[in-house]
Amino acid sequence: MTHIAEDARAFFQPLVDLPASTVVGFEALARFADGTPPPERLAQAEAAGVRDELEMALIELAVRTSVTLPEHAFVTLNASSSTMLAEGLDAILAGTTRAWGLELYEGSAVEESRAVRERISSLGAFLLIDDAGAGLADEKRIVDLRPDIVKIDRLLFWAALEDATERERVASLSRAASSVGARVLVEGIETAEQVDAARELGAVLGQGYFLGRPTPPEDIPAVLAELQRTIGIDTPGL
């Protein structure tokens, strides 16, 4: 199965607990040797009828590569609903002690919400809704899926910094998240001021270039040390 992703590498981007100023997890992200953006490669795979196989191979790669990350940190893995429901995912995650999150990308089918929620629970993992505020990733989807983490789309976050209507949109998504006991994560944090803005919007988790770029695993210790030195973001156990 891994041959379909033989030119891929797993990079990892820090996820930060904003109130505590600590790195608590990482998002696994694929990077391809020829520079093809992951959405484009996934679209090519879908056209060829092998999207699920590619997603599963990328998940397997990320799980295998993540052994070098801090043991306490959770890792989130991107997948469509069909991949989350596919056989084989449990075998990839079996035998690992790390906490795993499955990020449901915005374009996934909404009618499978109950099956996805049950599947994630059976895996002992937690569920994230990606790109909340974009397309179909709305309040209804949050309530239907009952995720553990809701990720606010970065374009919506940036718009909310300037526009009261967009701030209310974020607030509405945050209320929906709160109604099902989910935490809110803001994507796209690029400045210290945006860290404060994300906190004011009710986010408890943050992600973005200011908090660490997607990085190959061998360079993660240096990135975490730099975060601690420059902006005081700690990493327990490092």
Side-chain angles (χ1 to χ4, degrees):
M1 180 171 61
T2 55
H3 72 279
I4 198 172
E6 60 186 2
D7 66 335
R9 292 193 68 194
F11 280 43
F12 298 91
Q13 186 171 22
L15 304 175
V16 173
D17 181 313
L18 297 177
S21 293
T22 59
V23 174
V24 292
F26 297 88
E27 179 181 1
L29 298 160
R31 294 293 182 265
F32 295 96
D34 63 359
T36 303
E40 183 178 335
R41 181 63 67 89
L42 288 166
Q44 293 169 356
E46 185 165 7
V50 293
R51 179 177 181 127
D52 288 357
E53 289 87 344
L54 176 57
E55 287 188 357
M56 198 74 79
L58 294 175
I59 289 172
E60 185 178 10
L61 173 65
V63 169
R64 187 172 68 250
T65 309
S66 68
V67 295
T68 61
L69 300 178
E71 292 182 0
H72 80 280
F74 63 80
V75 174
T76 68
L77 309 161
N78 291 278
S80 61
S81 57
S82 58
T83 296
M84 290 185 184
L85 296 171
E87 294 183 7
L89 189 56
D90 48 351
I92 293 173
L93 300 182
T96 64
T97 58
R98 191 180 301 281
W100 300 103
L102 277 297
E103 292 197 25
L104 186 64
Y105 86 100
E106 189 274 328
S108 296
V110 296
E111 61 270 14
E112 298 172 325
S113 58
R114 178 173 296 180
V116 165
R117 177 70 269 181
E118 292 175 354
R119 173 65 165 156
I120 298 303
S121 297
S122 73
L123 290 170
F126 60 92
L127 178 64
L128 303 90
I129 286 183
D130 200 11
D131 297 331
L136 298 174
D138 59 8
E139 291 86 345
K140 183 179 185 303
R141 194 171 209 198
I142 292 170
V143 173
D144 288 345
L145 278 166
R146 306 184 68 82
D148 300 282
I149 294 175
V150 172
K151 299 184 71 174
I152 302 297
D153 178 71
R154 62 178 180 171
L155 295 180
L156 175 59
F157 170 57
W158 293 340
L161 299 176
E162 306 293 338
D163 185 271
T165 300
E166 301 300 337
R167 284 196 295 277
E168 176 51 35
R169 180 84 177 103
V170 173
S172 178
L173 292 165
S174 297
R175 288 192 294 270
S178 179
S179 74
V180 297
R183 292 181 290 174
V184 172
L185 184 156
V186 162
E187 299 179 295
I189 294 176
E190 297 190 343
T191 67
E193 292 75 19
Q194 289 180 359
V195 172
D196 294 335
R199 290 187 179 118
E200 290 173 5
L201 288 169
V204 296
L205 297 169
Q207 178 179 9
Y209 283 1
F210 183 73
L211 303 173
R213 293 172 178 263
T215 303
E218 63 271 20
D219 295 335
I220 287 290
V223 167
L224 298 179
E226 184 69 3
L227 282 175
Q228 203 287 325
R229 185 185 71 82
T230 56
I231 59 176
I233 301 294
D234 193 20
T235 305
L238 186 67

